[in-house]
Amino acid sequence: MPPSGVDSTVPHSARVYDWWLGGKDNFAVDRAMGAALIEAIPTLRTMAKENRGFVHRVARYLVREAGIRQFIDIGTGIPTRPNLHEVAQAVAPETRVVYVDNDPIVLAHARALMISTEQGRSEYIHADLRQPEKILADARLTETLDLDQPVALTLIAVLMLLRDSDDPVGLLRTLMQALPSGSYLAITHPTQDFNPTEMAAAVAAATQGHMTLVPRTRAEVERFFDGWDLVEPGIVPVMAWQPEDGTPADPHAAYYWAGLARKP
């Protein structure tokens, strides 16, 4: 029996992603969608793991190198250890993280997202990226984070769920404008740039299953960062963003752009 508010007849990106990573918090419709997308792009499970790897690398960079102690993570997904706050707090135990997602399954697992160090804090907001003002006004955010101090805003494989008609640039700009100088923005985003044929097949499968999937070009992803200063190496394939094990043999094997930028 699915939790209250969960429609188990329609696939959800968080549950599809959970299935790709070997999780159990998914339904038949999510597994069917996940399988259809893998038929289009056989290496999708590996790509999902590469996204998780980026989360860990960028969190460590932000805490160690940039001195960040506050995070807002939108499109969190079902908890997969180590979660962002666990990675960040392993370096700086006082780090505070606010997670945001709109899937009731993620809400059901929110306790796992909120097991924080004593020095830090971790909170969860059940909300949608399409309502940035609601996220920013939520008491769990305003009581956890000090928006007069730098914050890292992370959107990992989530902007792909917004059509251009949703105005993703405008929605993101509302969040970015609320953050002070010295804040950071981290994004990963699927792209058709590396393999147009496979990505087109994935979009077709998603559309048939009533799930939104919008890949974007490098130029379109770059637009999300407008006005902020990109951190080296800039917008690159996700596997090539500050890899810890050396440059991958084929950085284009995961069809995602990734980038990190700092607010001047």
Side-chain angles (χ1 to χ4, degrees):
M1 180 71 67
S4 175
V6 174
D7 185 350
S8 60
T9 67
V10 177
H12 191 285
S13 59
R15 302 193 304 262
V16 171
Y17 197 84
D18 175 71
W19 182 69
W20 284 339
L21 292 174
K24 296 180 172 34
D25 293 294
N26 47 74
F27 302 109
V29 67
D30 305 305
R31 296 188 287 274
M33 172 56 70
L37 291 170
I38 285 175
E39 186 173 342
I41 304 177
T43 54
L44 261 179
R45 276 199 172 96
T46 300
M47 294 187 199
K49 291 177 181 176
E50 290 297 339
N51 260 310
R52 292 299 303 174
F54 173 82
V55 172
H56 300 162
R57 295 196 304 277
V58 81
R60 284 190 286 267
Y61 172 87
L62 285 165
V63 176
R64 287 175 180 162
E65 308 298 329
I68 292 293
R69 297 295 183 267
Q70 305 187 110
F71 289 79
I72 302 173
D73 180 66
I74 300 181
T76 297
I78 294 164
T80 304
R81 303 191 73 176
N83 295 295
L84 187 150
H85 74 280
E86 293 167 318
V87 174
Q89 290 177 349
V91 180
E94 69 274 22
T95 301
R96 296 176 167 230
V97 178
V98 173
Y99 293 107
V100 182
D101 205 293
N102 68 350
D103 183 0
I105 287 279
V106 181
L107 176 62
H109 287 274
R111 288 183 183 275
L113 290 169
M114 295 190 292
I115 301 174
S116 170
T117 59
E118 289 185 13
Q119 305 97 312
R121 185 170 173 183
S122 181
E123 286 289 343
Y124 175 79
I125 300 174
H126 187 67
D128 195 298
L129 175 56
R130 294 175 183 83
Q131 297 177 299
E133 295 91 350
K134 181 179 178 182
I135 294 171
L136 291 166
D138 194 291
R140 283 159 293 191
L141 187 147
T142 58
E143 292 173 5
T144 302
L145 306 181
D146 178 359
L147 295 187
D148 290 327
Q149 298 298 318
V151 177
L153 174 62
T154 60
L155 296 103
I156 308 302
V158 64
L159 290 166
M160 65 186 187
L161 304 175
L162 299 179
R163 298 181 177 88
D164 290 344
S165 59
D166 292 320
D167 187 23
V169 171
L171 294 171
L172 182 55
R173 193 63 51 185
T174 297
L175 295 165
M176 295 164 71
Q177 288 173 347
L179 304 181
S181 174
S183 293
Y184 285 81
L185 172 64
I187 291 173
T188 70
H189 201 299
T191 182
Q192 63 273 53
D193 290 347
F194 307 155
N195 193 320
T197 302
E198 286 191 4
M199 188 56 71
V203 171
T207 302
Q208 186 173 359
H210 307 288
M211 193 174 95
T212 300
L213 172 59
V214 182
R216 290 186 169 94
T217 64
R218 187 186 185 284
E220 289 172 318
V221 173
E222 188 172 20
R223 189 179 170 209
F224 290 125
F225 295 101
D226 276 357
W228 290 32
D229 300 325
L230 285 163
V231 173
E232 288 295 327
I235 299 171
V236 296
V238 66
M239 297 172 71
W241 195 90
Q242 298 197 12
E244 293 171 345
D245 299 323
T247 304
D250 181 11
H252 297 95
Y255 309 156
Y256 281 82
W257 290 115
L260 175 70
R262 182 181 185 277
K263 186 171 186 176

